């Protein structure tokens, strides 16, 4: 394995308003195993809000009038998609695989379309900020891509919490335990027959 190999591939996920350039959602990730510089600064080139906002402003100015999906900006690969009045960005290092990052931006866009029934705009994102945040956390965790299938992401985000098991419905009598043991024995026998 090469010494520089890492699962860390996403530096930031950003959603900006096209109208006024305001930040709707922004999440910057630090590589988990990079030591700070000699000066004590982190490896993240945008450690504070001021530098992040400057990066976002320049990014929006550069991509607002473009029709492509990918640019190289500030020595970073940036993939972007425009939806209604918002611009979504996935930022990765210059060495990252563009196709992998493109799958992340597509999964983000498609997940939001499925969650919001085709109306992905600033107002909907702000009103359902919790769902957007959960969807992004399902796609990327600490800069590591976890899932890119929009249907799985939507299922995980929109699933209702499971109910606790109702203990009054469980038969804990001797006959109930015997029935459970017989069921387990039958399943094990079926498993062994299928395996041989």
């Amino acid at each position: 394995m090469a010494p520089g190999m890492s699962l860390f591939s996403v530096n930031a996920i950003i959603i900006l308003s096209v109208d006024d350039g305001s930040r709707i959602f922004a999440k910057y990730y630090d590589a988990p195993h990079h030591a700070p510089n000699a000066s004590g600064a982190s490896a993240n080139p945008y450690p504070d809000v001021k530098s992040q906002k400057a990066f976002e402003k320049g990014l929006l100015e550069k991509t607002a009038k473009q029709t492509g999906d990918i640019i190289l900006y500030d020595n970073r690969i940036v993939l972007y998609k425009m939806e209604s009045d918002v611009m979504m960005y996935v930022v990765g290092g210059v060495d990252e695989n563009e196709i992998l990052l493109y799958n992340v931006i597509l999964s983000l866009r498609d997940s939001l379309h499925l969650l919001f029934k085709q109306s992905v705009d600033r107002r909907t994102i702000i009103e359902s900020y919790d769902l957007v945040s959960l969807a992004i956390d399902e796609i990327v965790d600490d800069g590591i891509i976890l899932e890119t299938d929009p249907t799985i992401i939507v299922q995980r985000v929109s699933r209702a919490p499971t109910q606790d098991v109702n203990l009054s419905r469980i038969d804990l009598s001797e006959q109930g335990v015997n029935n459970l043991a017989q069921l387990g024995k039958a399943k094990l026998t079926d498993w062994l027959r299928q395996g041989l």
Side-chain angles (χ1 to χ4, degrees):
M1 184 155 127
M5 297 287 290
S6 172
L7 291 175
F8 180 79
S9 44
V10 176
N11 293 346
I13 294 181
I14 306 165
I15 302 175
L16 301 176
S17 171
V18 174
D19 298 333
D20 58 0
S22 64
R23 175 192 282 192
I24 299 172
F25 180 92
K27 195 162 195 178
Y28 289 81
Y29 303 100
D30 282 324
H33 300 294
H34 290 292
N37 303 356
S39 63
S42 71
N44 185 354
Y46 315 109
D48 58 352
V49 175
K50 184 178 178 183
S51 60
Q52 290 173 3
K53 291 224 178 195
F55 173 73
E56 293 164 9
K57 181 182 178 197
L59 194 59
L60 187 62
E61 288 173 0
K62 178 107 175 168
T63 58
K65 305 226 185 315
Q66 299 214 5
T67 58
D69 292 332
I70 184 169
I71 62 168
L72 186 64
Y73 180 75
D74 199 22
N75 206 22
R76 304 252 175 258
I77 293 175
V78 179
L79 287 109
Y80 59 97
K81 289 284 184 192
M82 184 170 179
E83 289 295 323
S84 180
D85 59 350
V86 296
M87 188 74 87
M88 296 180 273
Y89 298 98
V90 172
V91 182
V94 74
D95 299 337
E96 288 306 323
N97 184 338
E98 297 90 0
I99 296 171
L100 184 66
L101 294 175
Y102 189 68
N103 281 335
V104 172
I105 194 75
L106 287 180
S107 68
L108 175 60
R109 182 196 64 186
D110 295 344
S111 297
L112 294 181
H113 274 280
L114 290 172
L115 280 170
F116 302 143
K117 309 289 188 252
Q118 302 296 333
S119 64
V120 179
D121 58 2
R122 177 184 177 167
R123 181 177 176 206
T124 309
I125 290 174
I126 291 172
E127 287 175 354
S128 302
Y129 194 81
D130 55 341
L131 293 177
V132 174
S133 183
L134 286 171
I136 290 172
D137 286 344
E138 286 294 329
I139 297 168
V140 176
D141 182 35
D142 278 341
I144 299 170
I145 300 168
L146 299 177
E147 185 63 61
T148 58
D149 185 354
T151 55
I152 293 174
I153 294 163
V154 169
Q155 285 175 354
R156 289 180 184 166
V157 168
S158 60
R159 182 183 320 149
T162 58
Q163 296 294 323
D164 291 337
V165 176
N166 186 359
L167 294 178
S168 64
R169 293 183 54 209
I170 297 176
D171 185 13
L172 296 175
S173 68
E174 187 175 341
Q175 182 62 38
V177 173
N178 284 338
N179 290 343
L180 185 62
Q182 291 298 323
L183 179 66
K185 188 176 177 182
K187 291 288 183 187
L188 180 62
T189 304
D190 290 344
W191 244 17
L192 291 174
R193 284 186 188 149
Q194 291 174 358
L196 298 176

